Amino acid sequence: MTSIAIVGAGPQLGLAIARTFGSHGYDIALISRNRTKLDDLVATLTAEGITAAAFPADVLDRDALTQALKDAATRFGGIDVLEYSPVGTFGSTVLTTPVDTEPSHVQHEIEFQLYGAIAATKAVLPAMREAGAGTLLYTTGAGSIDPVPQVGNVNAAAAALRNWAINLHKELGGTGIQAAHVGIDVSIGMSVIPDFPTARPEEISPVYWGLHTTKRDQAELVFKR
C-alpha cells in the first residue's frame, strides 16, 4: 500500500496532486484547517474511485499537525510521500515590502512556512528512515528564488524553506529518501497580475509525480511558462 499526505490540501493544486497520485493507486491523506472543505475534497476523490481521508490540523499548531500525520500513517499503514504547501489567507497574511517589513511580519510567515514544514517532516521522517524509502516535497512560489518587493516578507520565509529543503536533500543523499523544493513561477488557475503567466493545477501536478518517480536526484524543480 502506498500513500501521500498533502499538507495544505485545497481545491486547486492540492486536489490536482491528489488526483495525480490517486490515479496511480496511492491513498490520499488530506490535511488543512477546515474540516468541511476537507470533507468536500474527500467526497470528490471518493466519487472518482480514489481512496482519501481527511485529517484536520492547523500547521501553526505543531502538536495537532504531528498528530494528524500520525493518524494518517495509522489509517494508511504509513506515509510514503509528504507534500507541504499550505497557503495563507488574506485574514492571516499581511504582505509587506522589504522597507516596510517588521520582524513580526516575517515571524508569522516563518512559523507558517518553515516551522510547519520542519514539524511535518519530523513526524514522517523516522518511519521513512526505517524503511529506507520516502519522498519529501516542499512547495513555494518562485519568489523564494527571485523575490518580488511587494511580498518581501512572504518571499523571505519561502526562501528559508527552500534553503532548508535543498539542504535536507543533501543530507539525505544515499538514504533512499528524496527531498526536493518545487517553485511555482505561475499563477494557479487565474492571475490577478496583468500579463503574469498562469497554469491549470493539473498542468503542474505531474511535476510532483516526476520528482517522486524519475527525478529523485533533483533537489529542486521550478515550474514556469
Side-chain angles (χ1 to χ4, degrees):
M1 193 67 69
T2 49
S3 65
I4 178 172
I6 301 172
V7 180
Q12 294 203 74
L13 184 58
L15 179 58
I17 293 171
R19 283 172 166 153
T20 294
F21 279 79
S23 69
H24 289 89
Y26 277 60
D27 294 332
I28 312 297
L30 301 172
I31 299 172
S32 72
R33 291 166 291 188
N34 191 306
R35 176 77 199 214
T36 300
K37 291 180 180 179
L38 284 181
D39 287 343
D40 289 343
L41 294 178
V42 169
T44 296
L45 293 168
T46 300
E48 297 173 6
I50 296 171
T51 300
F55 302 90
D58 189 330
V59 299
L60 294 175
D61 185 337
R62 312 286 179 244
D63 291 340
L65 177 58
T66 297
Q67 189 60 53
L69 287 163
K70 288 183 177 179
D71 291 345
T74 299
R75 169 70 170 79
F76 293 127
I79 294 173
D80 302 280
V81 183
L82 171 71
E83 192 279 318
Y84 187 87
S85 57
V87 176
T89 63
F90 289 110
S92 65
T93 300
V94 177
L95 304 180
T96 61
T97 68
V99 169
D100 293 330
T101 295
E102 299 289 344
S104 61
H105 296 141
V106 178
Q107 180 63 38
H108 174 80
E109 292 302 315
I110 286 286
E111 293 275 356
F112 189 73
Q113 297 194 59
L114 178 61
Y115 296 169
I118 292 173
T121 303
K122 291 289 187 181
V124 302
L125 186 54
M128 290 182 177
R129 282 189 174 278
E130 185 174 346
T135 301
L136 304 162
L137 303 174
Y138 308 91
T139 304
T140 73
S144 62
I145 304 166
D146 184 13
V148 179
Q150 292 87 338
V151 286
N153 59 324
V154 174
N155 286 173
L161 174 54
R162 174 183 181 252
N163 178 286
W164 182 80
I166 292 173
N167 215 12
L168 181 62
H169 174 91
K170 294 177 180 179
E171 184 180 8
L172 293 175
T175 66
I177 303 168
Q178 158 76 330
H181 169 250
V182 180
I184 307 296
D185 196 16
V186 295
S187 288
I188 300 174
M190 62 179 293
S191 177
V192 296
I193 303 174
D195 300 322
F196 193 76
T198 64
R200 291 175 288 112
E202 55 269 28
E203 294 180 278
I204 302 171
S205 58
V207 164
Y208 296 83
W209 181 253
L211 283 167
H212 174 55
T213 56
T214 62
K215 299 178 180 179
R216 298 188 60 80
D217 61 329
Q218 293 193 22
E220 181 173 66
L221 197 153
V222 179
F223 183 93
K224 62 173 59 182
R225 286 299 193 189

